[in-house]
Amino acid sequence: MKIGIVGAGAAGLAALRHALQQNYSECVVFEQTDTIGGTWNYTDLTGIDKYGLPIRSSMYQGLITNLPKELMEYEDFPYEEIDRSFIGFEEVLKYMHSFANNFNLYPHIRFGRQVMQIKPLSNDKWSLKEVNLETKIITEHIFDAIMICIGNYSVPKLPDITGMDSVREISIHSHYYRKPDAYKGKRVLVIGAGPSGTDIAKHVGKIAEKVYISYGNNIFFRTPEYVTHKPLVKEFQKNKVLFVDDSDLEVDNIIYCTGYQYCYPFLSDDCGITVENNWVKYLYKHVVNIEHPTMAFIGITFKVCPFPTFDIQVRFFLEFLKNSNKLTKDDMLMDIFKDVQTKKVPEHLVHKIGVSLHESYFSDLADTLKIRKVRPVIHKLYEYLCENRNLEKRFKILNDEEFVELS
Ligand code: FAD
């Protein structure tokens, strides 16, 4: 069986590793940049790359991981000794290169190749067209199965707030944020208090005159004292911001940390995939395309530990390929609606797992196809962290069940 994989970020590398280990030797990864690692490659550039393609990485200077490295490991491949748990993006990238070397992944990756079109064929195979970005030569490949591993943090999602046009020139989305320098001495409003919003407010606040963070109910990290909290924005008027509590502010800059959207421009309509309200329809267990079950999406889920997720979702899909005839499209659709009904969440949160469902989602994947489970210690540490998020902490995983916090 020939498997085509799109993207050589963390998900694509996991896909390749497991596929090769399960003797799918004819695997090819297409990667549009010249290197592996996706998100973890920092660049000063914010517009287009040397091939004229939009830069996909949203990495910024000074980023420290928001999960400890113990939760950012691939299965059976720990980080080399680092005396901290929360590490810099360069260290994650180095780890990914040593992973790729260790499993001899590079020979299977075609760099500088952008996947332009994926289309199902009548014989249950897939046509994948890619362009060599140097030579501009387009090549069609035929695959038995496809894994889409293009990441979810590249296409910005902006809120819909009255008067946004009037502040366009002083606003950016966090996708384009690289370093705090431009905010020296400025009054900056960060909108959104997820991982990026809280972290960027912290970085910018160190040199800004004043930094504010606006959000609804939840905040990801506790922020330093110099970050002033504000409620949701009601309206923008030129340089003035009105909030829902009727307070207002004058600001010099606005950074939208309002998340990203799923986007698959290369999928032909007959792949049967649509994205509505940020729900990718329809994926069995958030992985398998129910219209064409030889296509998988790896890493769609959010509020999870991404690296362990990639491992198990890939193993699930590879097992599913062996079992696919046992489930009908209706079976899979019923499973999806049951999941959505149980979760009782709006459409844009369907792919959210979160701490309360972390263990059950992973166990469900394992139990459904009788594949190896994710080590319980991963869920335990994740649960602990969600309650005690503090980048100074250090952890050590002792065995499959236990971890300790080091002093
Ligand atoms: P990506 O890393 O985006 O890789 C996708 C790859 O696909 C890219 O190399 C891209 O060039 C390629 N590609 C896209 N389209 C095409 C195409 N058409 N043809 C060919 N190639 C294509 N996770 C953590 O676990 N801990 C953290 O602390 C953490 N911090 C984060 C901080 C930021 C700012 C961001 C944005 C994300 C963070 N994440 C973190 C989540 C992170 O995105 C995941 O951990 C993981 O790296 C995502 O990997 P991926 O392979 O799914 O996507």
Side-chain angles (χ1 to χ4, degrees):
M1 191 178 245
K2 263 185 106 176
I3 303 181
I5 298 168
V6 191
L13 297 183
L16 181 57
R17 178 251 181 124
H18 288 294
L20 293 175
Q21 278 189 336
Q22 296 193 22
N23 295 323
Y24 296 101
S25 54
E26 289 195 71
C27 277
V28 189
V29 178
F30 300 97
E31 168 53 52
Q32 69 181 26
T33 68
D34 293 339
T35 186
I36 64 161
T39 300
W40 299 97
N41 287 287
Y42 172 81
T43 167
D44 280 334
L45 296 176
T46 54
I48 50 173
D49 65 12
K50 65 174 184 176
Y51 298 121
L53 300 178
I55 301 279
R56 288 187 66 89
S57 174
S58 306
M59 193 48 60
Y60 49 86
Q61 278 188 9
L63 179 132
I64 301 291
T65 57
N66 55 50
L67 288 175
K69 67 178 190 308
E70 289 73 19
L71 293 181
M72 293 182 63
E73 286 177 4
Y74 293 111
E75 287 171 357
D76 308 321
F77 195 77
Y79 279 76
E80 279 171 25
E81 203 50 51
I82 304 178
D83 192 25
R84 285 156 288 124
S85 280
F86 295 90
I87 57 178
F89 62 81
E90 306 90 337
E91 290 165 304
V92 181
L93 191 58
K94 189 170 164 224
Y95 167 79
M96 291 171 72
H97 279 280
S98 73
F99 175 79
N101 272 319
N102 187 72
F103 293 101
N104 197 24
L105 303 184
Y106 291 105
H108 302 269
I109 306 173
R110 308 280 172 271
F111 292 105
R113 308 294 181 92
Q114 186 194 22
V115 173
M116 306 163 62
Q117 192 197 56
I118 297 184
K119 202 175 162 44
L121 300 173
S122 53
N123 57 0
D124 276 348
K125 292 190 187 280
W126 293 95
S127 152
L128 181 153
K129 284 189 186 149
E130 46 90 359
V131 57
N132 179 326
L133 295 164
E134 286 292 352
T135 63
K136 308 284 179 246
I137 293 173
I138 296 172
T139 309
E140 181 181 21
H141 306 259
I142 305 298
F143 288 106
D144 299 292
I146 296 283
M147 287 196 249
I148 313 275
C149 304
I150 65 164
N152 316 317
Y153 302 106
S154 297
V155 182
K157 187 168 73 192
L158 285 169
D160 184 12
I161 302 173
T162 310
M164 270 173 76
D165 263 359
S166 65
V167 290
R168 188 180 296 276
E169 283 179 9
I170 58 163
S171 312
I172 60 161
H173 186 276
S174 58
H175 174 57
Y176 304 101
Y177 170 82
R178 292 291 181 268
K179 44 189 162 189
D181 309 20
Y183 302 101
K184 190 159 186 218
K186 306 278 190 189
R187 298 160 299 176
V188 184
L189 173 66
V190 172
I191 299 185
S196 298
T198 46
D199 197 38
I200 290 174
K202 189 175 94 186
H203 287 271
V204 167
K206 284 183 184 155
I207 63 167
E209 180 191 313
K210 190 79 203 143
V211 69
Y212 305 90
I213 188 164
S214 152
Y215 61 98
N217 297 320
N218 298 320
I219 185 146
F220 188 79
F221 277 127
R222 225 174 298 135
T223 52
E225 274 171 13
Y226 55 75
V227 179
T228 303
H229 291 218
K230 298 295 290 179
L232 292 172
V233 175
K234 185 163 71 181
E235 189 180 336
F236 294 111
Q237 294 173 350
K238 204 73 183 134
N239 289 6
K240 198 161 165 194
V241 188
L242 307 181
F243 295 91
V244 289
D245 63 353
D246 287 335
S247 62
D248 61 66
L249 275 180
E250 279 195 13
V251 295
D252 303 302
N253 294 98
I254 297 165
I255 307 175
Y256 294 107
C257 298
T258 43
Y260 293 87
Q261 37 192 324
Y262 300 109
C263 189
Y264 307 100
F266 50 81
L267 295 184
S268 71
D269 287 349
D270 41 0
C271 289
I273 291 293
T274 55
V275 182
E276 288 167 42
N277 291 327
N278 236 25
W279 179 1
V280 185
K281 292 181 176 174
Y282 286 107
L283 302 181
Y284 176 58
K285 308 285 186 204
H286 306 278
V287 175
V288 180
N289 175 356
I290 66 163
E291 296 292 340
H292 297 278
T294 49
M295 170 180 274
F297 291 70
I298 306 302
I300 289 277
T301 42
F302 59 96
K303 292 261 161 78
V304 280
C305 299
F307 283 65
T309 305
F310 302 150
D311 272 326
I312 192 159
Q313 288 184 338
V314 170
R315 290 195 287 104
F316 177 83
F317 177 61
L318 294 175
E319 191 62 29
F320 186 90
L321 287 177
K322 299 175 198 157
N323 286 274
S324 57
N325 52 348
K326 292 191 190 144
L327 277 177
T328 65
K329 178 176 146 185
D330 281 349
D331 291 337
M332 294 190 274
L333 205 52
M334 290 236 309
D335 187 85
I336 293 167
F337 284 119
K338 205 174 120 208
D339 178 49
V340 172
Q341 266 174 3
T342 317
K343 279 174 74 183
K344 293 196 183 73
V345 289
E347 292 201 341
H348 70 283
L349 297 180
V350 163
H351 297 303
K352 175 179 163 187
I353 302 299
V355 67
S356 59
L357 297 176
H358 205 259
E359 181 155 20
S360 61
Y361 171 63
F362 282 58
S363 295
D364 184 35
L365 288 178
D367 294 342
T368 302
L369 294 182
K370 315 249 173 314
I371 56 172
R372 192 175 64 256
K373 287 196 181 235
V374 169
R375 301 188 296 165
V377 67
I378 299 294
H379 311 298
K380 287 181 187 167
L381 180 51
Y382 184 60
E383 218 167 275
Y384 179 80
L385 264 159
C386 289
E387 282 164 17
N388 305 273
R389 224 174 263 281
N390 174 349
L391 301 187
E392 304 299 316
K393 288 181 187 277
R394 283 194 306 142
F395 301 96
K396 186 175 166 70
I397 289 189
L398 298 176
N399 53 46
D400 285 354
E401 298 281 344
E402 297 168 299
F403 68 90
V404 283
E405 191 179 326
L406 304 172
S407 54

